[in-house]
Amino acid sequence: MWRKAVLVAVLALGVGYLFHTDPALPSRMLNYISQSLPQMEPSGGSEPRPPSLEEAIARGWQTLITAPARRWGRVAVGVNACVDVVVSGVGLLQALALEPGSGRDHEVLHNKEDLKEAFIHYMGKGAAAERFFSDKEVFQRIARAAAEYPGAQLYVGGNAALIGQKLASNPQLVVLLCGPVGPKLHDMLDEQIMVPAESLQETDEFHLILEYKSGEQWGSSKAPQANRFILSHDVSNGKMSMLETFVASLEEFQADLVVLSGLHMMEGMGRDLWEERLKEAVVAISDVRNEVPIHLELASMTDRDYMNRILQEVIPIVNSIGLNEQELLFLTQSGGGPHADLSSWDGIPNVGRVSDILLWILEQHGRADPESEADLTRIHFHTLAYHILATVDGHWGNQAAAVSAGARVASSQACGLQAVDTNKVVLKAPLNFHSSFSEPRESLTVDPTRPVTVWRRGNVSFHLTPVLVCKQPLRTVGLGDAISAEGLLFSEATPPPEL
């Protein structure tokens, strides 16, 4: 007994000495112990643990995502379609006997060195890009090497085909796809998709999707996030050869909604072709009946003159556009809009800057002014961490459901799942932000239990929701197309008032 007493006395003296020399020690020790011990599950009568932010947001989406009062019945989609060959980018370049080096952007790829430099340039930024490869024979050799590379996979490709495929997963919807559809692609398409006979061709167009993982390194270049680099030598899609066929088929099909994509493919064909073809595209788009909304899906471009022409001539005659952060920044740079002096986004795009650019597009090239003759009233913006749906008041409904549905499919599809698994995703979006980058601006907060934040600027409404980012994405190709398709499925166009 006396030994225990002596031990307790010595221990007390030691602790007293330590407390005298470091009064904060006891609280630090308790903090350390509480963090080190495993978290105990609550007992039967205790309160359950609060949900994580990711769980709260996923549950919030379930509440917000409701079907629109008026659904689409028939959707026509065109005009770019192909077969995607998805392969490890670094692995393929190594198989082509290329050595790592410095990155450099190229508007058009002429050889394997151009490909290597452009891939490294975008891999280092973790940004998506798409380029035309000018040499047909060299491209075919690269395509052969890609198809034979271990683990290479073939998928439905092209924005129109991907959007059509996603829409066709809704059994109530009739989908028409118009584009260069070869035998391989035709076999891969959903059975519900209708393809006009004029769209069928004897050979497929192939696009190579060079993917890289978050943290993947090649030489001195390291990817900050997972993404992909796309290349093709695709003349059918490059000339939008199916555009007139597409528009001609609309009258018989009687679409409720038209989804158009593929304009970016013309950029690689050279200025003489795209100048002439863009004029013809504007005429063709103008032939679509006024009461049928048109959604334009944008994609990666590098020619500022070409993007500016699209901004001036095409965007005002469509009702809706879908785009990501790279395309949004390039749009404002090409048109001299807000924050055009920004060379690139620094990490997650600032919400205030994005809001400024979206408002500028709708005010200067859309119908934010009721007196404007432009048709654009809706922009679906998506970036890795969050989405924003910006709409001119009075033209669209069910926006909270639409933006939530787009974010939900981004979370699930990136992980290769049918539903969101909150153990496999992480919240990266800012929960506090401003409505604009300049004054006057509103300070806003995301409530995870109702994860759509709404604000207005003039007569434009903004709906923002965070994205639950997949920690280990399995496939990033087509994610933007799935987001836009899902957002459109839950959107409702408000019919104009009868005169």
Side-chain angles (χ1 to χ4, degrees):
M1 179 67 92
W2 64 269
R3 287 178 181 169
K4 287 184 181 179
V6 170
L7 184 60
V8 169
V10 170
L11 186 60
L13 285 169
V15 171
Y17 173 76
L18 288 172
F19 180 74
H20 179 72
T21 55
D22 186 359
L25 182 65
S27 60
R28 289 211 310 273
M29 286 297 292
L30 282 170
N31 187 46
Y32 173 77
I33 292 167
S34 66
Q35 289 179 347
S36 302
L37 287 172
Q39 295 298 308
M40 302 299 289
E41 291 296 321
S43 58
S46 305
E47 288 291 320
R49 68 172 181 82
S52 67
L53 289 175
E54 288 82 4
E55 289 171 328
I57 288 168
R59 291 177 190 174
W61 285 340
Q62 292 297 104
T63 304
L64 291 169
I65 298 174
T66 55
R70 295 171 65 252
R71 301 189 187 194
W72 315 111
R74 303 171 72 83
V75 181
V77 188
V79 292
N80 61 327
C82 64
V83 175
D84 280 345
V85 182
V86 182
V87 66
S88 160
V90 172
L92 177 62
L93 295 181
Q94 288 174 332
L96 295 170
L98 291 165
E99 297 291 333
S102 58
R104 181 185 167 203
D105 195 10
H106 294 273
E107 292 188 5
V108 176
L109 308 179
H110 300 289
N111 50 51
K112 291 192 291 185
E113 282 295 315
D114 287 357
L115 167 60
K116 179 190 78 173
E117 290 177 352
F119 176 82
I120 290 172
H121 174 78
Y122 283 99
M123 178 181 172
K125 292 175 177 289
E130 185 167 349
R131 295 292 179 266
F132 180 78
F133 200 101
S134 64
D135 191 315
K136 181 180 180 180
E137 290 184 7
V138 175
F139 176 79
Q140 287 177 339
R141 288 200 293 272
I142 296 171
R144 200 173 302 117
E148 293 171 357
Y149 188 83
Q153 294 175 300
L154 271 59
Y155 294 99
V156 170
N159 306 87
L162 285 163
I163 290 172
Q165 194 83 330
K166 188 65 183 176
L167 292 172
S169 64
N170 185 323
Q172 284 82 40
L173 209 55
V174 180
V175 179
L176 175 82
L177 171 65
C178 193
V181 178
K184 184 69 179 174
L185 177 59
H186 198 253
D187 287 345
M188 296 166 74
L189 289 173
D190 191 291
E191 291 181 357
Q192 276 192 214
I193 294 178
M194 298 169 56
V195 180
E198 298 84 356
S199 283
L200 299 173
Q201 56 183 44
E202 293 182 3
T203 57
D204 285 282
E205 300 288 354
F206 288 92
H207 287 206
L208 307 187
I209 318 295
L210 278 57
E211 292 197 322
Y212 49 85
K213 299 175 182 175
S214 177
E216 187 169 0
Q217 191 151 358
W218 193 39
S220 60
S221 183
K222 186 175 181 179
Q225 63 191 36
N227 224 315
R228 81 280 180 189
F229 183 89
I230 304 174
L231 67 146
S232 66
H233 178 87
D234 183 346
V235 177
S236 294
N237 284 306
K239 292 180 177 178
M240 292 188 78
S241 57
M242 292 292 170
L243 180 60
E244 284 78 8
T245 301
F246 178 51
V247 174
S249 67
L250 295 178
E251 194 61 40
E252 183 181 347
F253 182 68
Q254 292 292 298
D256 304 319
L257 171 68
V258 170
V259 181
L260 177 66
S261 63
L263 285 174
H264 64 287
M265 296 294 299
M266 292 202 293
E267 183 183 55
M269 297 284 103
R271 188 182 186 100
D272 289 345
L273 183 140
W274 68 247
E275 276 194 332
E276 187 62 32
R277 198 73 184 101
L278 200 60
K279 291 176 188 174
E280 294 166 354
V282 169
V283 172
I285 295 166
S286 300
D287 285 343
V288 179
R289 289 183 294 123
N290 286 340
E291 59 268 30
V292 180
I294 302 171
H295 172 85
L296 173 66
E297 191 68 14
L298 293 174
S300 175
M301 286 180 266
T302 59
D303 186 327
R304 290 195 181 190
D305 286 344
Y306 183 52
M307 180 60 108
N308 189 45
R309 288 281 290 276
I310 291 172
L311 178 65
Q312 302 292 336
E313 298 174 22
V314 181
I315 284 178
I317 63 171
V318 300
N319 305 87
S320 167
I321 60 174
L323 76 177
N324 68 16
E325 76 278 8
Q326 304 295 333
E327 295 138 20
L328 184 77
L329 184 57
F330 193 59
L331 202 58
T332 196
Q333 289 170 342
S334 303
H339 315 298
D341 56 339
L342 199 65
S343 60
S344 63
W345 299 109
D346 183 15
I348 296 171
N350 177 276
V351 175
R353 288 186 191 270
V354 169
S355 175
D356 292 343
I357 301 171
L358 295 175
L359 182 66
W360 166 75
I361 296 170
L362 288 169
E363 286 186 338
Q364 298 300 315
H365 304 279
R367 204 167 184 171
D369 180 355
E371 301 299 315
S372 170
E373 294 184 0
D375 295 316
L376 181 70
T377 51
R378 177 184 185 274
I379 305 176
H380 192 165
F381 168 81
H382 52 88
T383 187
L384 181 74
Y386 64 88
H387 296 174
I388 296 177
L389 189 57
T391 53
V392 177
D393 293 343
H395 292 271
W396 296 88
N398 215 37
Q399 293 101 317
V403 74
S404 298
R408 182 176 65 178
V409 81
S411 299
S412 58
Q413 186 165 308
C415 286
L417 302 170
Q418 294 299 313
V420 178
D421 183 341
T422 53
N423 295 313
K424 295 184 177 181
V425 294
V426 63
L427 177 68
K428 293 190 175 182
L431 295 182
N432 300 287
F433 56 90
H434 291 100
S435 60
S436 171
F437 193 70
S438 55
E439 301 294 344
R441 60 185 186 173
E442 190 179 351
S443 181
L444 298 160
T445 303
V446 173
D447 175 2
T449 62
R450 284 194 64 80
V452 173
T453 303
V454 184
W455 68 98
R456 297 180 75 244
R457 298 177 67 178
N459 65 337
V460 175
S461 294
F462 296 82
H463 291 72
L464 176 146
T465 192
V467 174
L468 299 178
V469 181
C470 186
K471 295 174 186 175
Q472 296 181 315
L474 298 180
R475 187 165 180 251
T476 59
V477 178
L479 213 50
D481 302 309
I483 290 163
S484 287
E486 200 75 358
L488 286 167
L489 268 176
F490 285 88
S491 288
E492 180 179 356
T494 305
E498 294 185 12
L499 299 176

